[in-house]
Amino acid sequence: MPPPAPAGLSAYVPFDATSAVARSTVQTSTTCLPCEYEHTLWTRQAGAWRSLPLPPAGASTDVLTGTAPNDVWALGRGECGDFGQYHWDGSRWTDRTLPDFEVLAARAVSRTDVWAVGNYRESDGDVPRAVAHWNGSAWTLTKLGAPDAWTNIKAVHVVSAHDVRVVGSGGGRLYAAHYDGASWQEVALPRLSVLSATANAVTVRDGEVWIGGTDRNIYTDSGTPRAFVLHGNGTDWQTTYVPVPAPTGDASEDRMSVQALAVHDGTAWAGLYADRTKDRGLARWNGSTWETAAAPGGDARRPPDPSAVPALRDR
């Protein structure tokens, strides 16, 4: 599928084979004091891209989700630092903001079933993890776990109304929780490194849970962040790491993380972000190890823009 812009694709949400929504981002400043960007929203209908009006000035489009070209959500932190959630019905944007709720990821199941995750800013300065659910008319916010400093949830996967998984981090450790349709329960995860493990992605298929992120042991000599994946049934876990294709031994060069996960035809795929462009792209689980995989429409030497990797969807 041709992209809507020649460069800078930073978000992409497909609805079906012919329709989608996307965002392109171009830095307009020559320095970052501060950085300045120009964002453009795009909608694809009947196989053709056209621009989509932006939400009100300053609103965030960092997180996109939706179910159709006339059911699009734009969420996140705005240019002025405030948080917002806006809905596009095909003709206009409507402000559906839940104040003080920063959205880091979202998944729309239907027009009356939208899940958003991130953190909530308390008046006393605490920042607990939070999940919000849109039922078609209003948000319901749930704060999860103790209000540790700067905790957050970074990914959500919805299997059904009675099976929702979220992952994130806080206090230097991984965090995961499961919703059974009535209440949230924290899920015990293996302890990886000290003070530095974060989870960025989660997916579930046929009762198997996959969680990915980055792990760094700050007490080792190298301390190189490593891309990890946890795989299990929600109770017992196997920990694996995605190898850097050509490691240099330099922590600043070899940093890599799992940003997205999906399972297709029984095969698990990981979307990778790395400091080095050539290390970004996809990895495939072959049953015993992770191996670099060619991207659709390309090859392993020319990986896709990792900022669009969260578009990985389960099929």
Side-chain angles (χ1 to χ4, degrees), residues 57-115:
S60 173
T61 56
D62 288 343
V63 178
L64 295 178
T65 191
T67 63
N70 62 355
D71 179 32
V72 177
W73 288 87
L75 319 96
R77 180 198 292 263
E79 294 177 0
C80 296
D82 52 341
F83 311 127
Q85 303 95 44
Y86 290 83
H87 180 258
W88 173 258
D89 63 4
S91 60
R92 66 187 181 93
W93 289 98
T94 300
D95 188 346
R96 301 295 189 187
T97 296
L98 188 61
D100 301 319
F101 176 46
E102 180 179 17
V103 177
L104 300 176
R107 177 66 63 90
V109 180
S110 70
R111 296 175 186 272
T112 59
D113 188 10
V114 181
W115 295 84

Side-chain angles (χ1 to χ4, degrees), residues 14-36:
F15 303 130
D16 53 40
T18 62
S19 63
V21 65
R23 183 183 76 162
S24 60
T25 301
V26 177
Q27 183 172 334
T28 57
S29 59
T30 56
T31 62
C32 279
L33 299 172
C35 297
E36 296 180 358

